[in-house]
Amino acid sequence: MTDQPREGTLQSTAVLTEQTDPAGIEPGDGAAAEAAAGPRAKARTLRRMLRQPVTLFCLAMLLLQVVLALGAPLIAPYDPAAPNVANKLQGPSGDHWLGTDDLGRDTLSRIIYGTRTALLASTESVAIGLVLGVGLGLFVGYRGGWWDRIGMRIADVMQSIPALLLALALVAVLGSGLGNAMLAVGLIFAVSFMRITRAVVLAEREKLYVDAARVLGLRSSGIMLRQVLPNVSPPLIVQASIALGTALLIEATLSFLGVGIDATQVSWGAMLDASRQHVSEHPLLAILPGAAITLSVLAFNLLGDGLRDAGSPRSAPRAGSGKKAKLPIVSTPVPSPDDALLRVDGLTVTDRNGAQLISDVSFHIKRGETFGVVGESGCGKSITAAAILGLLPKGVTIAGGSIRLEDSELAGLSGEALRQVRGKRIGMVFQDPGSALSPVHTVGRQLTDAIRAHSGLSKAEAHDRAAELLTLVGVPNPQERLKDYPHQFSGGMAQRVVIAGALACDPELLIADEPTTALDVTIQAQVLDLLASLRERLQMSLLIITHDLGVVADSCDRVAVMYAGQIVEQRSVEDAFAEPKHPYTEALLAAVPHSETDGEPLATIPGRVPPAWAWPQGCRFNPRCPYATDDCRTGTVPADADGVRCLRVTELQLAGAR
Amino acid sequence: MTKFVLQRLLSALPTLLLVSAFVFTLVHLTPTDPVAQILGEGAPAADKDALREQMGLSRPIFEQYIDWLGGAVTGDLGNSLYTSIPVSESISTGIGITLSLAIAGMAIALLAGVPLGVLGALRPGTTADRLLTTVVALGLAVPSFWLGLLLVLVFAVNLGWLPVVGYTPIGEDPGAWATGMILPAIALGSHTAAVIARQTRSAMIDALESPYVTTLLARGIRKRKIVLRYAIKNAMVPVLAVIAIQMSVLVAASFVIERIFAVPGLGTMLIDSVVRADYPVLQGAIVLVAVIVLLVNLGADLLYGVINPKVRPQ
């Protein structure tokens, strides 16, 4: 959920290089997102694992258990099965550190030998489960068809009987004894291992290389085996670790019930069962084996969790973060007209490592004006919008500058004061209407809650108002549609619902963050027209965030071009498009395809937006700028009266929109 | 809706048939010979054969299965080989007790697991959350029968607040029934509580990071309302699947708990029949549990439609 790119993929109308937005918390660390296969990924997983103290502790615990299990005859002070009735039910003493049981057997020795039984039992059953499960999973996955159907039906049958019950039944068939009990448990694990393996095989079968191999006349099974095994091992290792804990628990349970084990073997579960008669006078007899079971299962479970965390790219620390010296926070005051509704002044936003996601951003929006912010993904447009409403992601904060709505300061606002602005004075429309609405609540519920957030309307009044809003944004049959859920709306209609929600309390400013990116091309124009007509009818101001210059040309009065966290040019749309002053604006305009240029290769901007912790020295655009000189690579570039951050602004003659 | 339920029940039939055939075969493969158990190992072979013939155990297994199946459809699951009490009669009293224990365990698991998971998700990474994660990890590792023993030791033996063991039928004395159920239900429910808490926590964290929460915040809706009305309902969608699985886990786990607290449920009956190779009781009980698991899954699917409109049967 969190790593959805906030800006979406690029439309077909521009050929800018797209990259994950740093606003999406996880910057383009593509390498980490690779499957955990391959030696490099394995080494990385191992390194991460070794940095988890809990995992290390669990590994140490397991090592200790293995040593105890293997060396039991040497380590245990007494024969665990030797009765000594004269010495029965003794408390801890110098001779018997943990006391003796009802037959006078040494508890410490029995716990040590119990480790042996427990580990043997769990490894045996997991090994059986792995061999059988992976084999069957590969088989039904490859053969597919009837084999697959029969295999999955048997899996269903096995899983409709609870594991413990199945183990009981199988033990009844196979006869008691540790080996049989664990064979039963192994069969149960085989079912879940089979499901995992089969899923990976099915996924691999869909991949192109299998087709390619077939075309070349190669046997696809050999190639797939080499692909499937590395892909299936990470989830299997995690599952196996947890299965080891489960097996241990089942072994203890069966022994406790007296069906799993014969009398010659020492088991923690059987010790617990035997302790029941004496538990009130000798609680230690019950506490010790139970604690041993709990600790062992805990170690296996936590190890499994640790392996899973280490293998998942989410926990990867961000490459390169914190390596660079922090940039100074600069705030350049920029004059703005008295009638401005929103004034953003020298706004700087940093992430938790101090990297500046946006630097010294200043702009204003007048009443009734439509203002556009344009740039590639990763330039800080969405962060700017989120900062205005205090919706920055966790760890991302405003480090400097101010955001004023008329006379009230929004930066640093929190709690009730912030809530009073959200929805009431500033409304917001999001990129993807599919995810901006709660899937399990009716549209009516979501609209009435938005309405009642800032008004004392009754439920019935709010309901009427919600229907009015739907009419306003052009959703037909509003009374009926209020009862519908978001998935019953098409993308364009759902975006109209999101817009209705933003308008619920008559805001003075509407922020639209990529309002058309997730929509079909045919719907985009309708939604833009709707926004324009609403702005006029409701006399709002409109802030449109987009990477689509077409949207800016159609809808906006003025535009700010953002690159690498800075505004690099800020002018009226006609001027900026006709005679751009910043090379980045020129490059953006050149990358818009035109029908007249048929046959010419489409211009692209070489390179891509650097991540926030690696903004270039000097002009941030210099590595991609065809006009860059040595001067552009040092110092800082201030903005001129038109908001243009370019040292060569007076000498360059740049091409406008064609 | 009715059509959906009927469809689901119909599609469960083949699975049920397979389960019964599987269990029937399995049970008859048992090395323990019930005839020898009844007459004693040293009984004359002729007597053994006569009894085997009389009990219908010498016929081909397939015939026996068809017979059994024919009876099962009409509710006749045969008689116990030992007590001659009809299986349907004895397991129906047992299943009632087991189910009430499992439901009580689930109630405790939900009451503890959901709020704990939500609290952890509200402030992930804080000391309270870490404490919670530790408690959850412990809850997942503690064997329920050990917890049961410890609970008895503390609350019944040492403090004397609750009865040690024993079961009072609810018809006899509802108060005694309830107090007798408290410790078994806690022992049974704690593992499930941990599973539910863990699932709820991660589902809530996902829900709270969802774009629609940002939308609701941007509308000026109070955080409290967003958590209580929106995030929890969304988080319950994945948690419900876990609850369904856990319900059948609880039925099986209650067998062990019954033994500790001397509750005469299905588990006690089942373990006795395993030891004695009492075929009719064993297969009747296992098939009944499979039926319950299938019904629980159906119930979960229906409930799923209630909270998730996307899968609501039309």
Side-chain angles (χ1 to χ4, degrees):
Chain A
M1 290 264 166
T2 46
D3 45 13
Q4 264 179 356
R6 291 169 69 100
E7 309 248 358
T9 44
L10 190 71
Q11 291 173 297
S12 52
T13 48
V15 201
L16 312 181
T17 34
E18 280 278 318
Q19 192 215 347
T20 335
D21 193 339
I25 303 169
E26 274 186 63
D29 189 4
E34 281 169 14
R40 277 187 61 203
K42 265 181 203 156
R44 190 164 33 230
T45 303
L46 201 69
R47 269 205 311 280
R48 257 182 242 147
M49 212 177 79
L50 293 179
R51 259 185 257 126
Q52 299 168 332
V54 177
T55 311
L56 281 180
F57 180 75
C58 292
L59 279 174
M61 274 271 301
L62 281 182
L63 197 69
L64 176 73
Q65 291 198 345
V66 171
V67 169
L68 283 181
L70 292 177
L74 299 172
I75 300 167
Y78 294 89
D79 180 349
N84 181 359
V85 183
N87 226 350
K88 70 173 187 179
L89 294 172
Q90 295 293 307
S93 66
D95 285 345
H96 298 280
W97 289 1
L98 298 177
T100 60
D101 69 0
D102 53 346
L103 294 174
R105 298 174 295 195
D106 180 53
T107 303
L108 178 62
S109 303
R110 289 179 69 76
I111 294 269
I112 292 172
Y113 272 89
T115 314
R116 194 175 233 202
T117 311
L119 281 194
L120 198 69
S122 41
T123 33
E124 186 188 328
S125 57
V126 171
I128 293 172
L130 277 176
V131 170
L132 267 179
V134 173
L136 283 173
L138 286 173
F139 181 74
V140 300
Y142 280 132
R143 298 301 286 262
W146 277 104
W147 286 110
D148 189 41
R149 257 170 267 169
I150 291 170
M152 293 321 283
R153 191 53 110 164
I154 291 174
D156 281 347
V157 169
M158 298 275 281
Q159 290 189 332
S160 67
I161 307 174
L164 183 65
L165 188 56
L166 199 58
L168 272 175
L170 287 171
V171 166
V173 176
L174 302 168
S176 44
L178 185 66
N180 288 340
M182 287 303 115
L183 177 61
V185 178
L187 289 177
I188 295 162
F189 287 149
V191 176
S192 69
F193 292 146
M194 178 180 107
R195 281 185 191 274
I196 297 172
T197 313
R198 173 182 172 270
V200 175
V201 173
L202 291 187
E204 286 298 313
R205 268 172 58 149
E206 297 299 311
K207 292 194 181 157
L208 280 176
Y209 71 87
V210 178
D211 287 341
R214 254 185 226 127
V215 170
L216 291 172
L218 295 175
R219 278 171 54 87
S220 56
S221 52
I223 301 170
M224 267 179 73
L225 206 62
R226 257 172 275 145
Q227 286 296 322
V228 168
L229 286 181
N231 274 325
V232 79
S233 31
L236 273 185
I237 290 169
V238 171
Q239 285 306 312
S241 173
I242 291 165
L244 283 170
T246 312
L248 208 151
L249 212 49
I250 296 183
E251 182 270 314
T253 309
L254 291 175
S255 313
F256 179 79
L257 293 175
V259 284
I261 202 158
D262 49 56
T264 54
Q265 273 165 319
V266 185
S267 158
W268 293 335
M271 287 173 74
L272 257 180
D273 186 32
S275 76
R276 282 165 60 207
Q277 286 154 352
H278 314 281
V279 69
S280 40
E281 303 93 56
H282 304 281
L284 205 59
L285 281 178
I287 290 172
L288 289 172
I293 298 170
T294 306
L295 279 178
S296 311
V297 177
L298 195 63
F300 282 126
N301 285 354
L302 293 180
L303 187 65
D305 289 351
L307 285 171
R308 184 187 343 222
D309 289 350
S312 96
R314 271 205 195 188
S315 61
R318 207 176 63 187
S321 54
K323 280 182 191 161
K324 214 173 159 226
K326 283 180 190 171
L327 295 172
I329 292 167
V330 184
S331 180
T332 330
V334 173
S336 55
D338 294 339
D339 60 342
L341 173 68
L342 182 81
R343 266 174 280 218
V344 174
D345 224 344
L347 186 66
T348 297
V349 171
T350 55
D351 71 7
R352 67 180 87 224
N353 297 314
Q356 290 189 7
L357 301 181
I358 59 172
S359 315
D360 194 17
V361 165
S362 302
F363 63 91
H364 67 269
I365 304 175
K366 287 182 274 192
R367 284 193 176 277
E369 185 181 39
T370 303
F371 186 76
V373 175
V374 73
E376 286 164 282
S377 292
C379 286
K381 310 184 300 287
S382 288
I383 283 290
T384 309
I388 295 172
L389 269 187
L391 292 171
L392 291 169
K394 229 178 215 172
V396 176
T397 47
I398 295 178
S402 81
I403 304 165
R404 271 170 301 152
L405 185 67
E406 285 192 315
D407 291 325
S408 47
E409 177 63 53
L410 302 187
L413 222 54
S414 66
E416 184 59 19
L418 181 60
R419 196 186 74 79
Q420 287 297 336
V421 176
R422 289 171 171 173
K424 192 174 182 182
R425 302 198 63 191
I426 304 179
M428 189 152 175
V429 176
F430 298 87
Q431 175 181 329
D432 181 8
S435 62
L437 294 167
S438 164
V440 300
H441 294 83
T442 61
V443 157
R445 155 74 70 204
Q446 301 186 52
L447 285 178
T448 47
D449 275 348
I451 293 161
R452 296 181 71 197
H454 296 295
S455 68
L457 295 185
S458 72
K459 274 190 182 163
E461 289 165 337
H463 184 269
D464 290 345
R465 167 86 178 128
E468 261 172 49
L469 283 170
L470 284 190
T471 313
L472 182 71
V473 297
V475 175
N477 207 1
Q479 286 292 349
E480 285 303 307
R481 303 243 59 186
L482 282 176
K483 293 177 203 142
D484 284 345
Y485 289 89
H487 73 275
Q488 290 163 300
F489 287 77
S490 67
M493 280 296 148
Q495 190 62 303
R496 285 171 194 260
V497 172
V498 173
I499 293 171
L503 300 176
C505 300
D506 290 321
E508 296 151 73
L509 171 67
L510 186 66
I511 302 175
D513 185 359
E514 303 269 5
T516 59
T517 307
L519 303 179
D520 285 350
V521 180
T522 48
I523 309 293
Q524 291 178 357
Q526 292 177 19
V527 169
L528 286 174
D529 288 348
L530 173 69
L531 284 174
S533 77
L534 286 171
R535 181 191 60 77
E536 208 150 297
R537 272 164 73 186
L538 306 175
Q539 309 202 320
M540 301 180 296
S541 305
L542 197 52
L543 168 59
I544 295 183
I545 309 278
T546 182
H547 62 256
D548 186 343
L549 288 173
V551 171
V552 174
D554 287 347
S555 322
C556 299
D557 302 319
R558 285 187 307 125
V559 62
V561 180
M562 271 192 98
Y563 183 78
Q566 289 175 327
I567 292 181
V568 295
E569 177 158 7
Q570 185 179 170
R571 298 161 69 200
S572 79
V573 172
E574 295 90 54
D575 291 353
F577 276 40
E579 289 171 5
K581 288 189 173 179
H582 195 284
Y584 181 59
T585 316
E586 183 193 43
L588 281 179
L589 288 168
V592 178
H594 284 266
S595 50
E596 307 93 81
T597 58
D598 270 356
E600 274 178 45
L602 218 53
T604 58
I605 310 178
R608 57 185 210 173
V609 186
W613 63 88
W615 298 141
Q617 289 283 315
C619 169
R620 291 181 184 175
F621 188 57
N622 84 69
R624 301 173 73 187
C625 180
Y627 311 106
T629 63
D630 282 347
D631 287 347
C632 298
R633 298 183 229 283
T634 51
T636 53
V637 185
D640 72 1
D642 283 331
V644 180
R645 288 182 191 268
C646 180
L647 289 177
R648 304 184 62 193
V649 59
T650 48
E651 43 179 309
L652 291 176
Q653 287 294 314
L654 301 175
R658 283 176 286 182
Chain B
M1 189 71 175
T2 326
K3 198 175 153 218
F4 173 78
V5 175
L6 283 177
Q7 262 175 2
R8 280 298 310 268
L9 286 176
L10 272 179
S11 75
L13 275 183
T15 310
L16 207 55
L17 211 62
L18 274 172
V19 170
S20 68
F22 175 68
V23 171
F24 198 88
T25 323
L26 207 63
V27 165
H28 282 76
L29 288 175
T30 312
T32 324
D33 181 3
V35 173
Q37 290 274 310
I38 295 172
L39 295 176
E41 287 290 344
D47 288 2
K48 281 191 187 170
D49 286 344
L51 183 63
R52 195 167 287 129
E53 192 69 38
Q54 190 197 327
M55 289 165 69
L57 295 174
S58 55
R59 288 182 302 151
I61 187 164
F62 182 71
E63 245 175 64
Q64 292 186 47
Y65 174 65
I66 295 295
D67 250 18
W68 178 86
L69 198 64
V73 174
T74 59
D76 174 14
L77 295 169
N79 298 337
S80 161
L81 295 182
Y82 295 89
T83 59
S84 299
I85 298 173
V87 174
S88 49
E89 199 175 290
S90 54
I91 60 178
S92 62
T93 50
I95 194 68
I97 294 171
T98 298
L99 274 185
S100 60
L101 184 57
I103 290 169
M106 180 52 85
I108 285 187
L110 287 174
L111 285 176
V114 172
L116 284 178
V118 170
L119 285 180
L122 288 181
R123 296 199 172 22
T126 55
T127 320
D129 180 43
R130 285 210 187 117
L131 192 73
L132 180 96
T133 315
T134 315
V135 170
V136 165
L138 270 177
L140 289 173
V142 172
S144 60
F145 48 92
W146 186 51
L147 186 65
L149 276 180
L150 295 184
L151 286 173
V152 168
L153 197 63
V154 174
F155 292 100
V157 177
N158 287 347
L159 297 173
W161 290 354
L162 292 161
V164 177
V165 290
Y167 176 81
T168 320
I170 188 166
E172 256 173 48
D173 181 353
W177 172 82
T179 48
M181 285 297 248
I182 293 177
L183 290 185
I186 293 175
L188 183 61
S190 60
H191 184 269
T192 299
V195 173
I196 291 178
R198 188 157 83 157
Q199 274 298 324
T200 307
R201 179 178 175 275
S202 85
M204 266 308 270
I205 288 177
D206 275 355
L208 288 172
E209 283 174 354
S210 303
Y212 61 79
V213 167
T214 313
T215 310
L216 296 166
L217 282 172
R219 302 282 178 265
I221 295 169
R222 286 183 175 81
K223 184 88 193 284
R224 213 180 122 85
K225 191 168 187 174
I226 294 175
V227 170
L228 292 179
R229 178 171 282 171
Y230 287 92
I232 288 186
K233 192 172 175 190
N234 274 286
M236 280 303 119
V237 175
V239 172
L240 192 66
V242 174
I243 292 176
I245 295 169
Q246 285 299 312
M247 194 61 213
S248 35
V249 170
L250 280 183
V251 170
S254 70
F255 298 167
V256 188
I257 297 296
E258 284 169 20
R259 191 175 164 90
I260 296 171
F261 292 92
V263 176
L266 196 63
T268 310
M269 204 174 293
L270 203 98
I271 290 162
D272 288 348
S273 62
V274 167
V275 176
R276 295 194 300 206
D278 195 344
Y279 299 162
V281 178
L282 191 56
Q283 70 211 17
I286 296 182
V287 170
L288 183 63
V289 171
V291 170
I292 290 173
V293 170
L294 290 171
L295 286 179
V296 165
N297 288 340
L298 175 63
D301 280 355
L302 291 178
L303 210 59
Y304 210 72
V306 173
I307 55 173
N308 188 358
K310 274 190 205 173
V311 298
R312 188 165 299 169
Q314 299 294 324

